[in-house]
């Protein structure tokens, strides 16, 4: 699959230090297929105009393309267009929820449940909210395999939290959390649930109705789409009762000098001229993924992940973070070679991996580490990519005299 | 090995690896009168420096840190080099002088690693000056 897929991604034909680029940093941001680039370009070349604001042909076409993008993204996760708010990225989606729903509904002493495996963007907004509202935070721990402690989760739910947030796939451990079951339990306890789907949206089929969550966020740039566009799914009843986030043009119904009334959802949450080209590019990314189908994409990524685990385990001195049951990425440390130095030496071989804390400092602290190396996979990666990675890791050991 | 095709590997010469594995001046100066600590926000590399200054001469300096080979080796070499120097001369060092101590070409993405110790050292001197 990936061989033919790779041809659709222009950047994959470039060289780094004279070697073929082996891009294994898709968990940070994925590469983009030509169809996404073409869609953005075509928008600017043929219909660029401001949306929702004109009666002229271009404005009508741009508005239609933008709203069609919303429909496509909505259908992709089995929601409806009024429930999809375009944001800049997942981080903005989480901030939107914490600053509107959170500020309106949390009181002193209320509890927010999170997990220790969250990305900073699903921790910091809640810390901020807790500080401002005098609310409390409880973090579900992981066990030795990097799996969430469900017993502890249930014990936190007994304390009747107001908000429960968790990631579907950890961006460090690759663990796939049982989001449907966790959502059901949280709802039984009366909480509102936000799911971070950043890492899962291009590795699993997502159905928000099936998961049952109240909010779900993701970024376009990790799912083959452009940067600067992401989506927040919110259940319509909740969105309708939430105060606005940013205020200004487009999100209003009527403005007088003394007061304003808000537009219908989702427009109430999209102040100012939106990223029209980005939304169109994101819809093209959805189309691209759907030409293969999410089952096939997931199968490919899972096969690669399993292969990577098997091959990496053969590298002397390697310790892999988390359990074997994972999808999309493998984080590890090498005995005697700090992660940053591993990544630098790999770069010489055209291999792009992430080193550092991957915006998950609490999880690294929990694992007793400052940082790790992460190799992450997408639809366009191949087993050969992993072979190059493994050879380059063996070379790192030579450079360090190990 | 060719510089152009393996630019990063050039950094890992024996001297750098030696300083990484057996850093000089690692630890804490007990009766220190200058202290500082900082992290490289991009990667989490961390360096703490304690120093003892007497009559504007650096009598002792030690560091403890967690991080990559480049930041540890660079800090080790820097501390080794400045003991006995005048505070004013250390503050006046420019980045290139610090990089030159390493004797290997540092690639662009790693400059922050190589200069983290120097940054913290200057912070420690500023702290000392502030107390004077
Ligand atoms: C699990 C997870 N959540 C949130 C984010 C934040 O995404 P963004 O920086 O696009 O807002 C990331 C990506 O870095 C992630 O991996």
């Amino acid at each position: 699959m990936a061989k033919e897929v790779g041809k659709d991604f222009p950047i994959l034909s470039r060289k780094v230090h004279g070697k073929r680029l082996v891009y294994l940093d898709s968990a940070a941001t994925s590469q983009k297929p030509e169809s996404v680039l073409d869609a953005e370009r075509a928008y600017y070349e043929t219909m660029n105009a401001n949306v929702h604001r004109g009666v002229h042909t271009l404005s009508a076409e741009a508005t239609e393309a933008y709203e069609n993008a919303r429909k496509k993204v909505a259908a992709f996760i089995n929601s409806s267009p009024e429930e999809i708010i375009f944001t800049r990225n997942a981080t903005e989606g989480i901030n939107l929820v914490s600053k509107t729903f959170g500020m309106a509904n949390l009181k002193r002493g209320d509890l927010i449940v999170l997990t220790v495996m969250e990305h900073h963007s699903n921790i910091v907004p809640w810390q901020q909210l807790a500080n401002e509202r005098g609310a409390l935070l409880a973090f579900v721990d992981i066990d030795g395999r990097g799996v969430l402690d469900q017993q502890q989760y249930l014990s936190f739910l007994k304390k009747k939290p107001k908000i429960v947030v968790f990631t579907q796939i950890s961006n460090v451990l690759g663990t796939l959390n049982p989001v449907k079951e966790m959502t059901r339990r949280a709802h039984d306890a009366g909480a509102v649930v936000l799911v971070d789907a950043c890492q899962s949206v291009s590795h699993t089929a997502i159905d928000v109705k099936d998961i049952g969550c109240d909010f779900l966020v993701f970024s376009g740039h990790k799912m083959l789409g452009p940067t600067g566009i992401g989506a927040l799914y919110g259940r319509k009843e909740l969105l309708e009762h939430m105060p606005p986030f940013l205020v200004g043009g487009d999100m209003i119904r009527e403005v007088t000098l003394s007061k304003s009334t808000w537009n219908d959802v989702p427009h109430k949450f999209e102040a100012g001229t939106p990223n029209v080209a980005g939304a169109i590019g994101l819809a093209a990314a959805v189309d691209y993924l759907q030409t293969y189908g999410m089952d096939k994409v997931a199968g490919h990524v899972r096969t690669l992940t399993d292969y990577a685990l098997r091959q990496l385990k053969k590298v002397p001195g390697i310790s892999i973070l988390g359990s074997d049951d994972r999808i999309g990425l493998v984080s590890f440390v090498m005995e005697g070679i700090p992660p940053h130095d591993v990544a630098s030496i790999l770069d010489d071989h055209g291999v792009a991996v992430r080193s550092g804390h991957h915006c998950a400092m609490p999880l690294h602290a929990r694992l007793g580490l400052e940082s790790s190396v992460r190799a992450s996979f997408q639809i366009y990666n191949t087993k050969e990519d992993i072979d190059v990675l493994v050879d380059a890791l063996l070379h790192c050991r030579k450079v360090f005299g190990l | 090995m060719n510089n152009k095709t393996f630019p990063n590997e050039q950094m890992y010469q024996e001297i750098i690896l030696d300083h990484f594995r057996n850093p000089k001046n690692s630890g804490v100066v007990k009766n220190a009168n200058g202290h500082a600590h900082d992290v490289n926000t991009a990667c989490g590399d961390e360096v703490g420096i304690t120093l003892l200054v007497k009559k504007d001469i650096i009598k002792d300096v030690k560091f403890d840190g967690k991080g990559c080979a480049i930041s540890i080796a660079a800090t080790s070499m820097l501390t080794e080099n400045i003991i006995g120097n005048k505070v004013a001369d250390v503050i006046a060092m420019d980045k290139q002088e610090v990089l030159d101590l390493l004797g290997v070409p540092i690639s662009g993405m790693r400059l922050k690693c190589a200069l983290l110790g120097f940054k913290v050292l200057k912070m420690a001197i500023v702290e000392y000056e502030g107390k004077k």
Side-chain angles (χ1 to χ4, degrees):
Chain A
M1 170 178 187
K3 274 266 166 51
E4 45 174 293
V5 173
K7 294 201 188 78
D8 296 338
F9 292 75
I11 203 170
L12 296 181
S13 61
R14 76 159 275 181
K15 297 247 159 29
V16 171
H17 307 308
K19 289 108 191 158
R20 176 174 79 85
L21 167 64
V22 174
Y23 189 76
L24 297 173
D25 196 18
S26 296
T29 197
S30 68
Q31 299 302 347
K32 327 299 176 197
E34 200 143 28
S35 61
V36 167
L37 310 179
D38 288 346
E40 285 203 274
R41 189 178 180 89
Y43 161 71
Y44 282 122
E45 281 183 350
T46 65
M47 63 177 97
N48 176 52
N50 211 322
V51 291
H52 306 133
R53 294 182 189 184
V55 294
H56 61 76
T57 300
L58 293 190
S59 178
E61 286 179 12
T63 304
E64 194 185 342
Y66 181 66
E67 292 305 325
N68 279 341
R70 192 192 308 278
K71 283 184 197 149
K72 192 153 277 169
V73 170
F76 186 56
I77 59 167
N78 193 28
S79 67
S80 52
E82 321 84 87
E83 299 181 311
I84 295 295
I85 296 158
F86 281 127
T87 59
R88 281 187 303 140
N89 48 38
T91 303
E92 186 174 290
I94 297 168
N95 275 273
L96 191 156
V97 176
S98 71
K99 291 204 186 301
T100 61
F101 179 85
M103 285 298 273
N105 292 288
L106 247 74
K107 295 187 304 295
R108 180 159 214 89
D110 282 346
L111 181 67
I112 305 170
V113 172
L114 314 82
T115 87
V116 75
M117 65 166 73
E118 298 312 307
H119 186 280
H120 294 165
S121 68
N122 203 22
I123 295 178
V124 184
W126 307 112
Q127 282 177 342
Q128 194 85 354
L129 174 64
N131 285 340
E132 282 172 33
R133 278 286 174 258
L136 307 168
L137 303 176
F139 290 87
V140 181
D141 200 4
I142 49 170
D143 65 16
R145 296 166 307 145
V147 174
L148 287 178
D149 179 346
Q150 294 294 334
Q151 282 313 109
Q152 190 185 37
Y153 179 59
L154 295 182
S155 73
F156 287 160
L157 292 183
K158 288 209 180 90
K159 299 180 186 164
K160 301 283 172 209
K162 284 273 159 56
I163 299 176
V164 172
V165 303
F166 42 77
T167 189
Q168 186 165 17
I169 294 183
S170 158
N171 70 318
V172 177
L173 304 168
T175 323
L176 184 58
N177 292 321
V179 289
K180 183 176 176 180
E181 171 68 7
M182 288 176 75
T183 299
R184 187 176 68 75
R185 298 283 192 167
H187 280 166
D188 288 349
V192 158
V193 175
L194 178 140
V195 175
D196 176 352
C198 273
Q199 294 298 335
S200 51
V201 68
S202 63
H203 291 346
T204 55
I206 291 183
D207 179 335
V208 289
K209 296 273 156 37
D210 182 55
I211 297 171
C213 56
D214 303 286
F215 300 106
L216 181 136
V217 296
F218 55 90
S219 294
H221 69 93
K222 291 180 201 282
M223 53 173 290
L224 317 183
T227 52
I229 188 81
L232 161 67
Y233 157 79
R235 265 199 313 116
K236 194 172 170 198
E237 308 93 273
L238 288 175
L239 293 180
E240 280 174 342
H241 289 102
M242 278 153 57
F245 179 44
L246 301 178
V247 292
D250 248 10
M251 54 76 64
I252 45 81
R253 177 173 308 288
E254 241 179 340
V255 178
T256 66
L257 289 181
S258 59
K259 73 179 193 24
S260 307
T261 53
W262 314 136
N263 202 337
D264 293 335
V265 297
H267 308 291
K268 178 169 107 181
F269 294 103
E270 292 180 4
T273 302
N275 182 357
V276 183
I280 289 168
L282 177 57
V286 168
D287 278 340
Y288 185 85
L289 286 166
Q290 286 182 332
T291 56
Y292 295 97
M294 287 314 293
D295 288 344
K296 209 167 160 199
V297 173
H300 174 70
V301 174
R302 209 175 254 283
T303 305
L304 270 187
T305 312
D306 291 344
Y307 180 73
L309 268 179
R310 275 202 307 282
Q311 297 309 108
L312 285 169
K313 281 180 183 168
K314 296 179 187 163
V315 176
I318 201 167
S319 309
I320 289 169
L321 280 50
S323 78
D324 283 0
D325 187 14
R326 64 170 70 220
I327 181 161
L329 57 94
V330 183
S331 300
F332 56 87
V333 289
M334 302 267 287
E335 194 181 11
I337 320 177
H340 248 50
D341 302 296
V342 173
S344 269
I345 297 169
L346 293 187
D347 183 61
D348 280 352
H349 298 258
V351 180
V353 293
R354 177 88 184 261
S355 62
H357 49 60
H358 324 311
C359 298
M361 287 171 98
L363 177 58
H364 277 83
R366 169 66 181 81
L367 297 168
L369 298 169
E370 281 79 46
S371 60
S372 59
V373 183
R374 180 182 70 191
S376 52
F377 318 115
Q378 255 300 355
I379 181 169
Y380 40 74
N381 289 117
T382 61
K383 287 188 176 172
E384 289 82 83
D385 290 347
I386 289 158
D387 295 340
V388 175
L389 166 70
V390 168
D391 285 346
L393 287 173
L394 293 172
H395 186 74
C396 284
R397 287 179 52 83
K398 283 208 201 104
V399 172
F400 268 68
L402 296 168
Chain B
M1 192 133 290
N2 183 316
N3 266 353
K4 266 225 184 73
T5 56
F6 296 94
N8 293 310
E9 193 170 326
Q10 304 306 310
M11 293 187 285
Y12 300 96
Q13 306 293 330
E14 208 46 50
I15 172 107
I16 299 288
L17 295 176
D18 280 347
H19 276 271
F20 162 58
R21 293 200 188 99
N22 301 299
K24 303 288 187 304
N25 305 309
S26 102
V28 180
V29 177
K30 272 200 219 86
N31 48 343
N33 52 10
H35 316 72
H37 176 266
D38 200 16
V39 295
N40 178 343
T41 48
C43 63
D45 276 5
E46 206 176 325
V47 171
I49 287 195
T50 44
L51 63 109
L52 177 65
V53 186
K54 271 189 194 149
K55 297 201 174 113
D56 288 334
I57 301 281
I58 297 192
K59 290 288 179 198
D60 199 4
V61 57
K62 289 196 190 304
F63 80 101
D64 53 10
K66 293 173 191 152
C68 63
I70 302 299
S71 78
I72 289 173
T75 311
S76 169
M77 290 161 116
L78 176 66
T79 56
E80 199 178 28
N81 215 268
I82 57 156
I83 293 178
N85 288 11
K86 282 203 190 105
V87 168
D89 292 345
V90 175
I91 281 280
M93 282 174 86
D94 68 21
K95 290 178 181 173
Q96 196 52 50
E97 284 175 80
V98 177
L99 295 175
D100 288 347
L101 292 176
L102 293 169
V104 299
I106 298 296
S107 59
M109 292 299 287
R110 304 302 298 280
L111 286 173
K112 271 199 173 156
C113 307
L115 292 167
L116 178 63
F118 182 48
K119 181 180 168 203
V120 180
L121 174 66
K122 286 195 290 188
M123 286 163 58
I125 292 175
V126 168
E127 200 237 16
Y128 158 78
E129 299 277 356
K131 285 194 298 206
K132 262 203 314 195

